[in-house]
Amino acid sequence: MPELPEVETMRRGIAGIAGRRIAGATFPRSRVRPISIEPGVATLARRLTGRTVAGVHRRGKRIVIELAPGAGDERRWLAFEPRMTGLMLVVDPPTVEHVRMVVEFAGRGSGRLTFWDRRGLGTIRLFDDAGLERACGPHKHGPDGLVVTGEDLAARLGDSRRAVKVALLDQRAVAGIGNIYAAEILFRAGIDPRSRCRRLKQPQWDRIAEQARRVLADAVRHEGSSIGDETYRTADNRVGRFQKRHRVYGREGEPCTACGTAIVRIVQTQRATFFCPACQRRP
DNA sequence: CGTTCAACCTGGGCGC
DNA sequence: TGCGCCCAGGTTGAAC
């Protein structure tokens, strides 16, 4: 579920762990499902214990916790990738089931951080500097969606034969956009999701980038999109509000808020795409 | 190379 | 009620 706005909201919600020392880590339901944890749980717990959190970052759709250098040991990065159903929580999780990892903090007002993941597709990995770059450096991630420019998009996608909606999901082109926001961005840019990238000109890339920055920032301001039960929640387990502002996503058959035409749902590379056939045009 | 597709999972909703 | 099927915010690697 979580795309850039949801992950950024989670990041802000757990940012208070900066400066805390890790007392220990447990993995209550990690082995039930093939959630990817690297290195193994025993090694990970050992390497985390005693470390201090130096910062809480986001790379695309990942939360990356920076761990200060230990005694004779280098800086490390603990990366959580929520994929479809992962949540980072500072309060009690929705169920005790599906709790993949709990990080306990030492000292007064200690608290804990819980990674809860119903479907178990998420990943938890500990990196050194080089490992982090390999996993989510510039080779894997394009510019962040909050700051992407039309020049960035044209340079990365201008020659592609792919449909523009499919291309916006490519994290190497732009980091952080997923299925909801790709649809919402293209609606606001007035561009048909089926348009081939190579047919788009600079003004269109500029419009897409401008709406990407705006929509994603708006969604962060509204703490992301929560659709249905046991889905995305903030770190203190509240629902987001941006779903109320969706113009096309999940609105098949409902009237376009701009022109009244029924919103259409199609499938592109196995994933649903929603758009207004009247407001969104091919170049 | 670009692109598609199945796979990884749980669980809600729907038709029969 | 129960069963089978479809669907879901993501990513990966194998197969065209």
Side-chain angles (χ1 to χ4, degrees):
Chain A
M1 338 142 85
E3 307 180 28
L4 185 155
E6 290 77 29
V7 178
E8 175 61 18
T9 304
M10 291 184 214
R11 187 196 70 76
R12 294 178 182 191
I14 69 167
I17 67 172
R20 303 254 185 105
R21 193 172 63 83
I22 296 174
T26 56
F27 304 83
R29 291 290 195 278
S30 64
R31 252 178 288 176
V32 181
R33 302 293 162 214
I35 186 172
S36 165
I37 299 178
E38 296 171 16
V41 297
T43 311
L44 190 50
R46 196 170 59 243
R47 291 193 185 161
L48 291 176
T49 302
R51 290 271 189 167
T52 300
V53 175
V56 182
H57 313 276
R58 178 180 58 78
R59 292 254 187 139
K61 301 174 188 170
R62 279 189 182 89
I63 300 254
V64 181
I65 296 173
E66 180 183 353
L67 302 168
D73 208 353
E74 290 171 13
R75 176 173 61 170
R76 289 285 139 81
W77 309 87
L78 179 63
F80 293 88
E81 194 178 18
R83 301 265 176 115
M84 296 293 269
T85 48
L87 298 179
M88 307 276 348
L89 297 164
V90 294
V91 297
D92 288 342
T95 64
V96 289
E97 212 60 31
H98 309 133
V99 172
R100 311 301 181 175
M101 180 174 184
V102 179
V103 180
E104 303 274 359
F105 295 101
R108 284 186 300 283
S110 46
R112 61 171 59 118
L113 183 64
T114 299
F115 184 62
W116 184 90
D117 185 3
R118 192 182 66 188
R119 287 172 70 177
L121 301 174
T123 69
I124 303 168
R125 293 151 96 184
L126 185 66
F127 296 119
D128 58 15
D129 288 359
L132 183 73
E133 288 315 300
R134 237 176 288 126
C136 43
H139 184 68
K140 287 289 187 72
H141 279 169
D144 192 76
L146 287 171
V147 297
V148 71
T149 67
E151 286 75 24
D152 292 331
L153 293 179
R156 287 172 167 76
L157 300 174
D159 294 333
S160 171
R161 313 159 97 92
R162 284 180 289 181
V164 63
K165 188 268 185 167
V166 174
L168 287 178
L169 299 180
D170 183 347
Q171 302 300 298
R172 290 168 307 186
V174 47
I177 296 174
N179 214 34
I180 291 178
Y181 296 101
E184 296 298 320
I185 289 162
L186 289 173
F187 172 81
R188 288 162 175 82
I191 291 169
D192 188 314
R194 299 166 293 185
S195 311
R196 301 286 144 187
C197 288
R198 61 195 324 184
R199 309 290 294 263
L200 299 179
K201 305 251 192 312
Q202 191 60 51
Q204 277 128 18
W205 289 120
D206 290 342
R207 256 162 48 211
I208 293 169
E210 182 190 340
Q211 293 305 322
R213 297 190 303 266
R214 225 194 93 213
V215 168
L216 295 170
D218 259 11
V220 169
R221 202 167 302 123
H222 290 90
E223 301 184 292
S225 302
S226 295
I227 300 167
D229 296 335
E230 292 205 354
T231 177
Y232 158 74
R233 295 290 187 275
T234 63
D236 54 350
N237 199 19
R238 290 174 297 105
V239 296
R241 300 180 305 280
F242 195 73
Q243 67 280 3
K244 296 175 188 164
R245 292 179 136 76
H246 290 178
R247 311 286 292 276
V248 288
Y249 185 85
R251 297 193 64 241
E252 182 185 17
E254 294 176 36
C256 172
T257 53
C259 75
T261 303
I263 299 303
V264 169
R265 177 188 186 275
I266 61 172
V267 173
Q268 295 178 290
T269 61
Q270 316 287 102
R271 310 198 67 189
T273 298
F274 298 89
F275 68 104
C276 171
C279 293
Q280 295 176 250
R281 316 301 305 185
R282 298 201 214 208

